[in-house]
Amino acid sequence: MRKLAKWFSVLVMASMLMSACGGGGASGEKFRIAVVTPSAKNDLAFSQSIYESLLKVQEAQGGPEKLEFVISEGMFVVDDAGAAIRDYASQGYDLVIAHGSQYGSVLQEIAPDFPETSFAWGTTVDTFVDKGITNVFAYEARSEQGGYVNGVMAGALTKSNVIGVVGPIETGDAKLYVDGFVAGVKAQNPNAQVNVNWIGSFSDVALASEAAQTHVKAGADVMAGTAQMVVGAIGVAKENNVLWFGTQASQTSLAPEVVVANQIYDWSGVILEMIDLIGKGTLGGQSFAITLENKGLYIEFNPAYSLPPEVKQLAEATINAIVTGAINVAP
Amino acid sequence: MIGELLTAQVLLGILASGIRLATPYLYAALGETFGQRSGVLNLGVEGQMLVGAFAAFYVARQTGSLWLGVAAALFVGALMGLIMAFVSITLHAQQGISGIGFYLFGLGLSDLLFQTLLGTVQTVSGFRPLAIPLLSRIPVLGEVFFNQNLLVYGAYLLVPVAAFVMDKTTFGLKIRAVGENPEAADSLGVNVSLVRYITVTLGGALSGLAGASLSIALLNVFQQNLTSGLGFIAVALVYFGGWRPWGVLAGALLFSMVNALQLWVQVLGLPIPSEFAVMMPYVLTILALVVAVQRVRPPTALTKPFVREG
């Protein structure tokens, strides 16, 4: 037993030594990014958005020879995610991204142990700078902006004046998106009623599906939703010929007949900025947001759905108004 | 406020949703009931459901045949049940731990296959609602009860079948004997291991079918961790139902109906915070467990491996 403990402490020391050396190797060599996500990289939602953004960043930086990235997906257990984050940090990755607001507490513990490594945490605005931690970037999506645009279109398209929303838990960017969506509907069509259902889970596809059934029974002819469990709701929309508005990633492939538009998250600009800062020696302490203005958020219209031209114009005018500040969608 | 909930539209909506939501619980929990009555606790239900859900989805998509999908789910579920049986019955492994192991195995395997074979979330054209002639014409209720898809009907038909097998057949008697007093059953010439192998394999097959009811009948998609804990609730429902098929039905319906109710509470905009609404099914199920006097006790030999003396 004592022998084992001795070996263990040697191992720990060796790994600490390695991590200390690894952190400094950013310049000149290949830039290495690791990302930990709560769901699958092909979830058509939150995790897919960071995965696709990283592919874009890799391309922009000159391919896998210049920038390498690895992803640990499906880390819905926060402790497992914490272990992965620590592992990547000790392997000397230049930037370790904790892609999930639930990872905050573990990151706060881990980041101080690796002062040479840069971390990023989203979606949040908290970089832990007030706790004396200087190597964490924060990023968030102003998802209420695209939510507002989608809401305006939904308000214009509904005939029954009943609109259903399926959300996960009333927090973070899901709440921002839904609040923006409801505000958009109300601005366009004050007579429309928006029923919002928070199902209390990011993963319960069966309950999301049943929530959508409930909206349909309540008369909804347009629905929206956010997070990875909405694939269940999209199936219901398709079957009942109810229009669907997506967010985070393109959900068009699941129901090309009824998906009107998706708000897409593109984190590549934010990540490129972080890489730039890390190159200059700043490892954290700054907070970023993707918006319609900086093109981190954009509305992708489904080409297979024939959106009336006046509604499309309305959407584009709304995007413009948000970018110029004429419409302020306060979170 | 309560008045809004008591309209025909809402009550029928709750019934229809509750009936659908209870379907995967019924398959999985009835299967688990057989295993537990024979003395084997299988906590790997969730993993078996996931692998079954994937197998059904993939086979249905590749072949275009939903029935082949169902067969695939039954087969892989049974196979996982058989391995679980080998580990817990032949190797005498601690059942709680090995069950969790099987859950993690199923979670990982279904995800690996999903990532490599499908690559992204896709859809399949699943079982359509099938109106039963005459019965579906019953005003109001016909639509709710007799216009569901085949796998939903199957789950409810399975309840009396399971109750009959358990209470009225020789095989059911053997299951109960093996779960209560394996030594006595053994001395009377019952092959304890064989009975347990059969129940655990059957339980696996039904868990696989529970997964299929999600992936090719109710949701028609497959996603990583599609079952999201339903399998663990199914195990809890076996306790709730006092190890009896009709009790399992009552528990599954109570939980699902209250879940459907809370969806309506939110849609109608009743002034109850969503966090409380989503807690309702869990709180009520626990209350029902506490308040209802549980005179039934678990099978005496539950989780105890059988080792023949001498």
Side-chain angles (χ1 to χ4, degrees):
Chain A
M1 199 58 215
R2 190 175 291 169
K3 211 171 196 174
L4 205 69
K6 208 193 250 165
W7 271 110
F8 184 71
S9 55
V10 168
L11 268 175
V12 169
M13 277 194 289
S15 66
M16 277 162 73
L17 203 69
M18 266 150 58
S19 71
C21 300
S27 57
E29 294 166 29
K30 178 168 13 175
F31 195 88
R32 294 164 75 220
I33 301 179
V35 57
V36 176
T37 67
S39 50
K41 66 172 186 270
N42 49 16
D43 66 352
L44 298 180
F46 188 65
S47 299
Q48 182 153 350
S49 75
I50 194 88
Y51 176 68
E52 289 187 347
S53 302
L54 281 166
L55 287 175
K56 245 174 137 171
V57 168
Q58 190 174 53
E59 175 115 24
Q61 295 289 83
E65 298 80 41
K66 298 282 182 213
L67 185 140
E68 168 197 316
F69 78 89
V70 289
I71 182 164
S72 282
E73 48 185 328
M75 293 278 158
F76 51 88
V77 178
V78 173
D79 281 345
D80 294 351
I85 292 166
R86 188 174 283 280
D87 226 37
Y88 284 130
S90 49
Q91 286 173 33
Y93 278 85
D94 301 296
L95 173 62
V96 180
I97 303 175
H99 189 59
S101 37
Q102 63 268 53
Y103 300 152
S105 54
V106 293
L107 195 61
Q108 193 187 337
E109 265 177 45
I110 296 167
D113 295 347
F114 300 91
E116 304 285 308
T117 304
S118 176
F119 296 88
W121 174 36
T123 56
T124 182
V125 291
D126 188 0
T127 64
F128 302 124
V129 136
D130 55 335
K131 297 187 178 71
I133 299 170
T134 54
N135 56 336
V136 175
F137 292 114
Y139 60 91
E140 62 162 346
R142 298 291 302 275
S143 56
E144 73 277 11
Q145 297 186 343
Y148 189 92
V149 179
N150 279 352
V152 165
M153 283 190 271
L157 289 171
T158 180
K159 293 192 178 71
S160 68
N161 276 347
V162 180
I163 294 170
V165 179
V166 181
I169 293 169
E170 201 171 350
T171 179
D173 83 319
K175 180 171 163 46
L176 291 179
Y177 175 75
V178 173
D179 286 352
F181 183 86
V182 174
V185 172
K186 292 288 174 198
Q188 176 62 29
N189 182 351
N191 295 325
Q193 183 190 339
V194 190
N195 299 324
V196 181
N197 227 322
W198 299 102
I199 67 160
S201 161
F202 286 88
S203 57
D204 195 335
V205 183
L207 198 58
S209 157
E210 221 44 68
Q213 296 271 16
T214 307
H215 286 309
V216 172
K217 277 271 188 319
D221 64 348
V222 178
M223 290 197 287
T226 172
Q228 55 271 23
M229 80 299 164
V230 295
V231 296
I234 298 171
V236 174
K238 183 175 164 182
E239 233 157 74
N240 293 281
N241 207 22
V242 165
L243 299 180
W244 178 264
F245 285 92
T247 185
Q248 296 183 330
S250 174
Q251 293 158 351
T252 302
S253 66
L254 284 181
E257 310 89 331
V258 295
V259 174
V260 180
N262 302 289
Q263 166 173 248
I264 312 285
Y265 287 13
D266 180 356
W267 303 103
S268 58
V270 166
I271 298 168
L272 284 168
E273 273 187 71
M274 289 179 195
I275 293 173
D276 195 45
L277 283 169
I278 293 167
K280 290 176 182 148
T282 307
L283 298 183
Q286 292 191 27
S287 155
F288 301 90
I290 50 171
T291 62
L292 289 173
E293 191 186 354
N294 66 24
K295 305 266 195 294
L297 295 178
Y298 62 94
I299 302 292
E300 177 205 77
F301 297 94
N302 170 14
Y305 175 79
S306 53
L307 182 66
E310 67 274 14
V311 179
K312 190 165 183 186
Q313 276 165 18
L314 182 67
E316 276 159 358
T318 309
I319 294 170
N320 242 325
I322 293 174
V323 168
T324 59
I327 294 178
N328 181 23
V329 194
Chain B
M1 182 179 126
I2 296 295
E4 284 177 79
L5 274 175
L6 292 178
T7 64
Q9 178 210 15
V10 173
L11 291 178
L12 290 174
I14 291 172
L15 273 178
S17 286
I19 286 171
R20 282 190 297 264
L21 281 171
T23 298
Y25 295 132
L26 281 176
Y27 283 121
L30 289 171
E32 178 74 5
T33 302
F34 278 99
Q36 291 203 13
R37 281 299 281 271
S38 76
V40 182
L41 170 72
N42 174 15
L43 281 182
V45 172
E46 173 93 352
Q48 295 169 336
M49 281 176 74
L50 276 167
V51 175
F54 178 80
F57 184 86
Y58 185 70
V59 169
R61 227 188 119 83
Q62 293 304 112
T63 64
S65 162
L66 294 170
W67 289 111
L68 279 179
V70 168
L74 285 168
F75 178 75
V76 296
L79 192 65
M80 281 190 67
L82 191 65
I83 303 171
M84 172 76 196
F86 176 72
V87 168
S88 57
I89 299 163
T90 306
L91 301 182
H92 308 282
Q94 209 284 338
Q95 290 168 13
I97 304 295
S98 56
I100 296 294
F102 273 95
Y103 155 56
L104 293 171
F105 172 70
L107 176 68
L109 180 68
S110 60
D111 188 32
L112 176 72
L113 292 172
F114 164 60
Q115 303 285 3
T116 48
L117 296 176
L118 293 175
T120 183
V121 183
Q122 299 177 20
T123 57
V124 70
S125 175
F127 282 100
R128 310 287 311 167
L130 184 80
I132 295 182
L134 295 178
L135 290 176
S136 63
R137 300 253 193 91
I138 299 171
V140 190
L141 291 179
E143 170 73 20
V144 172
F145 289 107
F146 301 109
N147 194 14
Q148 303 277 5
N149 69 62
L150 275 172
L151 292 192
V152 175
Y153 295 134
Y156 289 86
L157 287 176
L158 191 61
V159 178
V161 172
F164 178 81
V165 170
M166 196 77 86
D167 296 333
K168 298 280 193 285
T169 64
T170 320
F171 181 61
L173 183 66
K174 282 184 185 168
I175 293 175
R176 285 178 284 138
V178 161
E180 287 300 331
N181 193 338
E183 289 78 15
D186 181 58
S187 70
L188 291 172
V190 177
N191 187 335
V192 174
S193 293
L194 180 67
V195 170
R196 288 183 172 175
Y197 258 93
I198 292 172
T199 59
V200 175
T201 306
L202 174 70
L206 289 175
S207 293
L209 190 55
S213 76
L214 289 168
S215 67
I216 62 171
L218 293 168
L219 307 173
N220 305 328
V221 291
F222 186 85
Q223 194 184 42
Q224 180 197 48
N225 192 24
L226 181 78
T227 53
S228 174
L230 301 188
F232 290 103
I233 293 174
V235 174
L237 286 172
V238 175
Y239 284 76
F240 183 94
W243 292 269
R244 287 175 169 79
W246 291 106
V248 165
L249 174 69
L253 280 178
L254 172 76
F255 185 80
S256 303
M257 292 291 173
V258 178
N259 225 339
L261 169 77
Q262 66 89 6
L263 292 174
W264 274 100
V265 164
Q266 293 192 52
V267 163
L268 294 174
L270 301 187
I272 298 172
S274 66
E275 291 83 356
F276 285 102
V278 296
M279 269 195 265
M280 278 166 62
Y282 300 90
V283 171
L284 265 174
T285 308
I286 292 169
L287 279 181
L289 264 178
V290 173
V291 175
V293 185
Q294 288 277 319
R295 274 166 299 182
V296 279
R297 46 167 193 79
T300 313
L302 185 59
T303 75
K304 294 190 186 98
F306 173 66
V307 188
R308 186 181 265 168
E309 300 287 323

